[in-house]
Amino acid sequence: MDDAFTSERAGGARELSVAGLPVAVSRRLTAAARPLCVGRGAVVFGPGDPGAELFVVVHGRVRLERRAEGAREYAPALLGPGDVFGELTVFDPSPRGATARAVTAAELLALGTARLRALLAAEPDVAWHLLGLLARRLRGAHAATESLLAPDVPARLARVLLELAARFGEPAAGGTLVRHGLTQSQLALHAGVSRGSVSRVVAGFADRGLVSPRHRAVLIRDGAGLREQALRGARKDPGRGYGGNPA
């Protein structure tokens, strides 16, 4: 569940707590950042925008979208509480190359380059924990790339569902409920397949008792069976494994 922020009254103001960070570190980070609330579908930034801020997700879901020249759009990441995005253009100044769009209503922290530099210089422990958040983001990007390399559509979609379950799943009657917040078209972008393929494959998974589709969510009923489906794709290409972490 999205219990990634707490409400503490101090002079009538709410103090945000970032998932994955110790309370003291979170307080120093939030004190240096500006809070930003966005509605579902809102664009946080788009291609060509100045890359002057790094963002931390406090609550909700944010999706990164890219469109390679001459190719169709794809979505390399779905981000949730505790995730960092927009960091590339802060540490390597250049215009934005992707779109960051809120999948649900979201609360973010925005940290500009100057404040970030001052914070990292003055608070080494904040720098260390922030690097941990960035490492998690890189690990997620690696997993998304592996999913796109799966040789068949059912294996690719099974991988994506398992990755979403690892990030956003919660125990529920009958299995694991994954409130990803994505439409079928958006899920297709994450899997790198067509919307029609997602409909057919998910229906097939449901017929076999692996999943039960929900509105912007999915109930995974048979995680072992879904992992077996993902591994079938890996067996077709022995040069690729499943579930490995980057060095």
Side-chain angles (χ1 to χ4, degrees):
M1 296 177 65
D2 275 355
D3 52 354
F5 70 91
T6 58
S7 295
E8 297 181 6
R9 293 293 174 180
R14 186 174 73 189
E15 181 176 281
L16 299 179
S17 177
V18 179
L21 292 182
V23 173
V25 174
S26 179
R27 284 175 176 164
R28 290 196 288 273
L29 179 63
T30 56
R34 68 179 180 92
L36 177 65
C37 295
V38 295
R40 188 174 77 184
V43 173
V44 182
F45 59 72
D49 287 352
E53 290 182 308
L54 170 151
F55 297 88
V56 181
V57 182
V58 177
H59 177 67
R61 306 273 188 268
V62 174
R63 186 165 61 104
L64 299 185
E65 307 166 358
R66 283 184 175 274
R67 187 183 297 275
E69 187 174 353
R72 70 179 187 177
E73 181 185 10
Y74 69 100
L78 179 65
L79 309 174
D83 281 327
V84 174
F85 67 99
E87 72 282 359
L88 292 181
T89 55
V90 170
F91 293 112
D92 181 22
S94 59
R96 302 286 189 189
T99 298
R101 190 186 306 274
V103 174
T104 66
E107 291 189 70
L108 312 173
L109 292 175
L111 199 58
T113 304
R115 285 195 174 187
L116 177 62
R117 183 173 297 167
L119 178 66
L120 298 185
E123 304 281 1
D125 55 338
V126 175
W128 179 255
H129 286 289
L130 189 59
L131 285 172
L133 296 182
L134 292 172
R136 188 171 79 180
R137 168 96 160 75
L138 181 60
R139 194 175 298 119
H142 176 83
T145 301
E146 280 195 340
S147 295
L148 291 172
L149 293 175
D152 66 79
V153 172
R156 189 180 298 179
L157 189 58
R159 289 186 178 197
V160 168
L161 292 177
L162 289 169
E163 288 152 12
L164 291 174
R167 289 293 322 284
F168 307 119
E170 56 190 81
T176 300
L177 182 62
V178 186
R179 301 180 191 273
H180 50 67
L182 301 172
T183 65
Q184 281 205 337
S185 295
Q186 292 168 342
L187 187 58
L189 288 177
H190 280 271
V193 300
S194 69
R195 185 188 182 283
S197 295
V198 168
S199 299
R200 288 191 297 272
V201 172
V202 169
F205 287 173
D207 289 343
R208 292 161 53 194
L210 302 181
V211 305
S212 290
R214 303 285 176 86
H215 177 65
R216 293 181 182 266
V218 63
L219 178 68
I220 297 180
R221 294 188 174 278
D222 182 359
L226 201 60
R227 282 190 290 274
E228 172 63 22
Q229 180 68 68
L231 287 169
R232 288 178 190 174
R235 292 193 192 107
K236 292 179 182 179
D237 186 350
R240 298 190 188 105
Y242 171 61
N245 289 327

